[in-house]
Amino acid sequence: MVKKLFILLFTSLLALPLSTAVFAQDAPKETKAQEKAEEKAEKKAAKPARWDGIVTRVNKDKSTLNVRKVGSSQERTVEYDSSTKWVSQEHGKKKVNDIDADQVKDGDRVITTGTWDKNGVLHATLISKRLTPL
């Protein structure tokens, strides 16, 4: 009888650490999946929206630009405000010039970055006028 109790005790002492090790290995898999999902969401949130093309209409009263994508008929509205940074740059050059909103006209090529709203309007944080045509 003592021998059976000793075997039962030894088996339980051996089985408990092994089962704990098996369950401990499963937990990080869930954590890694959650970390990957969070990392992907952070990258998406951190990456600013971008729209570039030719300015088709400037509305200074509403502080908007209509920009048509080059080689396409897709056109989006870009809203700007007093916090929007305006710059101009020649294609392939490092030098960036600060400009104001009055220097962007219909037919100019621009690259805009900011955030999209629910209505598909880009709220621009930066509008870069390209000085050389494509």
Side-chain angles (χ1 to χ4, degrees):
M1 178 77 171
V2 175
K3 187 175 180 182
K4 286 184 181 181
L5 285 174
F6 182 70
I7 291 173
L8 182 61
L9 179 65
F10 180 73
T11 307
S12 63
L13 288 176
L14 183 63
L16 182 64
L18 290 176
S19 64
T20 305
V22 169
F23 288 120
Q25 289 179 358
D26 289 341
K29 289 181 184 176
E30 292 175 5
T31 306
K32 286 181 183 178
Q34 289 173 348
E35 287 176 5
K36 284 184 182 180
E38 290 173 1
E39 194 175 299
K40 190 174 182 181
E42 287 175 8
K43 282 183 182 179
K44 188 174 184 179
K47 186 176 180 184
R50 176 187 160 123
W51 188 257
D52 63 287
I54 307 297
V55 176
T56 58
R57 189 175 310 117
V58 178
N59 188 339
K60 292 182 183 176
D61 296 331
K62 293 183 179 179
S63 298
T64 62
L65 302 172
N66 287 13
V67 180
R68 181 182 46 84
K69 194 141 195 88
V70 175
S72 173
S73 62
Q74 285 185 322
E75 189 170 300
R76 298 288 168 101
T77 301
V78 176
E79 286 185 351
Y80 58 89
D81 56 22
S82 60
S83 66
T84 302
K85 183 173 179 175
W86 296 81
V87 297
S88 67
Q89 184 177 12
E90 287 188 45
H91 183 75
K93 302 291 182 185
K94 301 268 186 213
K95 186 177 179 188
V96 177
N97 308 308
D98 288 333
I99 61 172
D100 58 15
D102 295 332
Q103 293 178 329
V104 175
K105 309 281 186 220
D106 292 355
D108 287 343
R109 183 171 186 272
V110 294
I111 298 173
T112 61
T113 57
T115 56
W116 294 108
D117 70 3
K118 294 181 279 188
N119 302 325
V121 175
L122 180 72
H123 296 278
T125 55
L126 173 72
I127 298 177
S128 176
K129 176 181 174 181
R130 300 286 111 173
L131 297 176
T132 53
L134 288 175

